[in-house]
Amino acid sequence: MSGGLTFDIAHLLAGGLVLVSLMMLYQDRLSALINMFALHSLVLVLSVAWQAYIQDAHHLYITAAIALAFKAIVIPVGLHRMVQRLGIHRDIETAVGIGPTMLAGIGLVTLSLVLMLRVTPYADPLAREDLAFALSILLLGLLVMVTRRNAVSQAIGFMSLENGLVLAATGAKGMPLVVEFSVAFSVLIAFIVIGIFLFRIRERFDSVDVGALDDYRGEHR
């Protein structure tokens, strides 16, 4: 396969991850946001598998399999069940309007591309541009976390942020297998802890809106 086509497919998949991150910003229903996170993880799986192929790094196929099993299937299914048990089938309350949030997201993507391409002029071109896309995904995940008041949507923002870190690690010629297992295990533990905290918050405040915590502390937004 020609180097140009290899390059283009890698860019297409990494750019697809950024596009899905932007799509997550304007989702106003929890179920739609969870489905979008599953799609985000599926594109990550394809991107990691492609990196495994072009780098001839077979251990990255294990990374892709772990991401497919946990991030694209187990965690989204678990989140859907959690939302059903919590009885929170409703619109997501946002701290900022969808329009300003989308503009901020586009600005963060532009900033990431300009910053990373300028500070890595001598790096491998593929790794360099993957790092720029990964930084965009990381910042968009943070934006999801700070613009949503619902604890479930903030947890999804955190996990999409972690997808950006995996893209950066695989684009930079992979990472040791033990680190991949460690990251996957950490995400699974984080998901379990988040679930326990969500049920505790729901029992205590009859809501998973973090604004309830501010009201409890006597703080008002």
Side-chain angles (χ1 to χ4, degrees):
M1 187 176 292
S2 69
L5 183 59
T6 299
F7 214 73
D8 291 342
I9 294 175
H11 281 170
L12 177 66
L13 294 170
L17 267 173
V18 175
L19 177 62
V20 179
S21 291
L22 285 169
M23 291 167 67
M24 291 173 72
L25 290 177
Y26 67 77
Q27 301 304 318
D28 57 0
R29 302 282 298 178
L30 268 179
S31 57
L33 185 61
I34 295 169
N35 291 338
M36 204 53 63
F37 171 69
L39 176 62
H40 197 264
S41 300
L42 187 58
V43 179
L44 175 71
V45 169
L46 295 175
S47 180
V48 173
W50 184 249
Q51 289 289 344
Y53 171 70
I54 62 179
Q55 294 179 27
D56 196 24
H58 298 292
H59 67 283
L60 288 182
Y61 287 117
I62 298 175
T63 304
I66 291 172
L68 177 64
F70 287 99
K71 293 184 176 179
I73 299 174
V74 173
I75 290 179
V77 170
L79 284 173
H80 275 299
R81 290 184 178 177
M82 194 182 296
V83 167
Q84 287 177 352
R85 288 190 60 186
L86 290 170
I88 48 176
H89 301 279
R90 57 182 173 81
D91 294 343
I92 303 170
E93 293 187 19
T94 57
V96 184
I98 296 298
T101 303
M102 290 301 295
L103 287 175
I106 293 169
L108 289 175
V109 172
T110 306
L111 176 66
S112 303
L113 294 175
V114 171
L115 181 65
M116 290 305 297
L117 295 181
R118 285 193 177 182
V119 300
T120 57
Y122 304 111
D124 176 75
L126 183 58
R128 179 182 178 217
E129 295 178 17
D130 269 356
L131 286 173
F133 285 127
L135 181 59
S136 301
I137 295 163
L138 193 150
L139 293 178
L140 290 174
L142 285 174
L143 187 61
V144 170
M145 292 178 70
V146 301
T147 56
R148 306 302 170 99
R149 291 181 175 172
N150 184 289
V152 177
S153 55
Q154 290 181 346
I156 292 173
F158 168 75
M159 288 187 283
S160 70
L161 177 157
E162 197 268 342
N163 282 352
L165 295 177
V166 173
L167 177 68
T170 54
K173 303 300 181 187
M175 54 184 172
L177 193 57
V178 65
V179 177
E180 293 163 15
F181 278 114
S182 175
V183 169
F185 184 71
S186 300
V187 170
L188 185 61
I189 294 298
F191 174 69
I192 293 170
V193 171
I194 287 168
I196 292 170
F197 271 104
L198 285 175
F199 280 104
R200 295 291 295 171
I201 292 172
R202 180 73 166 81
E203 288 175 3
R204 180 69 179 82
F205 300 104
D206 199 29
S207 170
V208 291
D209 190 327
V210 293
L213 300 177
D214 293 337
D215 293 339
Y216 179 76
R217 293 198 303 259
E219 299 174 1
H220 301 280
R221 297 187 182 190

